[in-house]
């Protein structure tokens, strides 16, 4: 056992530690205290700081798109203001209830015409849930059957029927019988409605005999703070077709009324299209008085065969001009229809007469109205 022990010690004592191979000479010596990171040039610091400032200033630019909370798809929508010369760049709704109020006045109740108007407006709108219809009919909210028929066709729409008595009473009290008969109630009523319904301070008036194919919410961005109304110009009807310029010049020199233009009247000025109006009820002071004054001065009660220009004269230089795309067109061709925002209703309709309401013969009808007639109309409203 001792020999094996000595043998083990001998072999252990003969072992020599292996010297580490010095390879540092091959790789070079590292001096951490001497090899500093390169310092960027001052111009780099300046450019980085300028970029941060530039990105920050971008936050102050006006928004170009928006996402409406009522849109279930949360799509980005560009602000569209081509229809107005003075847009505000946003979807302007009623400050109290957040809705877009659409008013129409119908002398003789025709539910099919109202159904086409409502359906064309809803189907063309990006936000149909924000539209609130106010239909002024002879019986108004007393006609429960008509209201429920419309609600069956448009169950999820905001819709009301209003009576016409209060509006007519205001006009009758302010005018003579001859003056009252010379006025077209569908044209004058939109300007009286705000005095009866205080909640309708700003609304869009649409003649019932129209088919809307444009997005009516585009009109809500128009700034009417300094105007009583907004309307498209109808150059097929000019001022000199109704009244002589010499008569207007004589009136302008002799009468002192706030509604008379301070600048000379343009003889071939285009008349406003009263079929589609954006009304600002806060700027309609003395408007009815102005209309009746012009009608009396021009002695228009004796000329009932022609359209009364009194409303156009009362609006002279007081209304904002909409783009030509909102001028009502005739549905004469497919090309006209595709380029139009709004056209005349071309279907069968009821007209008022002293002997009862009559329906226009079918030979004069077009086909566009059928596209916008709700599918259940014949069953609900009758054929």
């Amino acid at each position: 056992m001792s020999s094996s022990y000595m043998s083990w010690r001998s072999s252990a004592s003969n072992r020599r530690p292996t010297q580490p191979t010095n390879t540092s000479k091959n790789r070079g010596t590292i001096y951490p205290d001497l090899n500093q990171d390169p310092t960027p040039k001052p111009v780099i610091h300046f450019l980085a700081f300028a970029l941060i400032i530039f990105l920050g200033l971008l936050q102050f630019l006006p928004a170009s798109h928006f996402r409406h909370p009522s849109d279930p798809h949360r799509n980005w929508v560009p602000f569209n203001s081509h229809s107005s010369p003075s847009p505000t760049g946003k979807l302007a709704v009623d400050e109290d209830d957040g809705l877009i109020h659409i008013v129409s006045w119908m002398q003789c109740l025709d539910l099919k015409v109202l159904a086409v108007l409502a359906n064309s407006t809803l189907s063309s709108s990006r936000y149909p849930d924000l539209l609130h219809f106010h239909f002024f009919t002879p019986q108004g909210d007393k006609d429960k059957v008509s209201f429920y028929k419309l609600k069956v066709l448009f169950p999820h729409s905001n819709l009301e029927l209003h009576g016409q008595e209060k509006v007519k009473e205001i006009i009758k009290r302010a005018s003579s019988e001859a003056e009252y008969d010379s006025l077209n109630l569908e044209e004058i009523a939109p300007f009286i409605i705000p005095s009866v319904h205080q909640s309708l301070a700003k609304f869009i008036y649409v003649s019932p005999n129209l088919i809307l194919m444009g997005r009516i919410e585009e009109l809500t961005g128009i700034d009417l703070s300094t105007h009583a109304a907004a309307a498209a110009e109808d150059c097929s009807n000019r001022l000199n077709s109704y009244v002589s310029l010499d008569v207007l010049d004589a009136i302008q020199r002799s009468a002192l009324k706030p509604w008379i233009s301070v600048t000379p009247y343009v003889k071939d000025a285009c008349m406003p299209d009263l079929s589609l109006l954006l009304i600002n009820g806060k700027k309609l002071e003395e408007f009815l008085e102005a209309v009746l004054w012009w009608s009396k001065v021009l002695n228009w009660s004796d000329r009932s065969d022609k359209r009364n220009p009194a409303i156009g004269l009362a609006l002279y230089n007081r209304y904002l001009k909409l783009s030509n795309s909102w001028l009502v067109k005739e549905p004469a061709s497919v090309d006209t229809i595709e380029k139009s925002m709004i056209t005349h209703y071309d279907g069968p309709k009821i007209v008022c007469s002293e002997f009862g309401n009559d329906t226009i013969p079918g030979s004069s009808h077009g086909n566009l109205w059928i596209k916008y007639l709700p599918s259940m109309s014949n069953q609900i409203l009758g054929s």
Side-chain angles (χ1 to χ4, degrees), residues 115-190:
V116 171
L117 172 63
N119 196 38
S120 64
T121 307
L122 290 167
S123 60
S124 302
S125 174
R126 195 187 298 268
Y127 309 106
D129 56 315
L130 297 182
L131 306 184
H132 191 141
F133 294 96
H134 302 265
F135 295 139
F136 285 78
T137 61
Q139 298 298 320
D141 56 357
K142 298 177 182 178
D143 189 356
K144 301 297 183 182
V145 175
S146 297
F147 173 76
Y148 290 132
K149 286 182 177 181
L150 290 174
K151 287 301 291 183
V152 170
L153 294 177
F154 308 102
H156 305 295
S157 299
N158 303 305
L159 189 148
E160 288 185 69
L161 295 184
H162 301 275
Q164 301 175 343
E165 296 83 1
K166 293 182 180 180
V167 175
K168 290 181 178 180
E169 185 62 28
I170 291 177
I171 302 174
K172 287 179 178 179
R173 286 202 309 262
S175 61
S176 65
E177 183 177 353
E179 290 171 341
Y180 180 84
D181 293 337
S182 69
L183 295 174
N184 185 336
L185 290 180
E186 287 190 6
E187 293 181 346
I188 189 63

Side-chain angles (χ1 to χ4, degrees), residues 24-181:
S24 61
K25 293 182 179 181
N26 299 329
R27 293 197 300 265
T29 306
I30 298 176
Y31 301 97
D33 295 336
L34 300 178
N35 295 340
Q36 300 286 338
D37 293 335
T39 303
K41 296 180 180 180
V43 67
I44 302 299
H45 285 289
F46 176 78
L47 291 176
F49 181 74
L51 179 62
I52 294 173
I53 296 298
F54 174 74
L55 294 176
L57 292 176
L58 287 179
Q59 307 303 313
F60 295 95
L61 291 176
S64 60
H65 292 66
F66 72 98
R67 290 194 300 185
H68 199 275
S70 298
D71 185 0
H73 302 291
R74 305 292 288 162
N75 294 321
W76 285 102
V77 181
F79 289 126
N80 192 347
S81 59
H82 71 274
S83 61
S84 167
S86 58
T88 61
K90 62 180 180 179
L91 182 68
V93 295
D94 189 274
E95 297 178 357
D96 296 327
D97 54 20
L99 298 175
I100 301 170
H101 295 277
I102 302 170
V103 173
S104 191
W105 179 283
M106 178 170 274
Q107 285 290 93
C108 300
L109 181 62
D110 192 335
L111 292 180
K112 275 193 176 180
V113 174
L114 289 181
V116 171
L117 172 63
N119 196 38
S120 64
T121 307
L122 290 167
S123 60
S124 302
S125 174
R126 195 187 298 268
Y127 309 106
D129 56 315
L130 297 182
L131 306 184
H132 191 141
F133 294 96
H134 302 265
F135 295 139
F136 285 78
T137 61
Q139 298 298 320
D141 56 357
K142 298 177 182 178
D143 189 356
K144 301 297 183 182
V145 175
S146 297
F147 173 76
Y148 290 132
K149 286 182 177 181
L150 290 174
K151 287 301 291 183
V152 170
L153 294 177
F154 308 102
H156 305 295
S157 299
N158 303 305
L159 189 148
E160 288 185 69
L161 295 184
H162 301 275
Q164 301 175 343
E165 296 83 1
K166 293 182 180 180
V167 175
K168 290 181 178 180
E169 185 62 28
I170 291 177
I171 302 174
K172 287 179 178 179
R173 286 202 309 262
S175 61
S176 65
E177 183 177 353
E179 290 171 341
Y180 180 84
D181 293 337

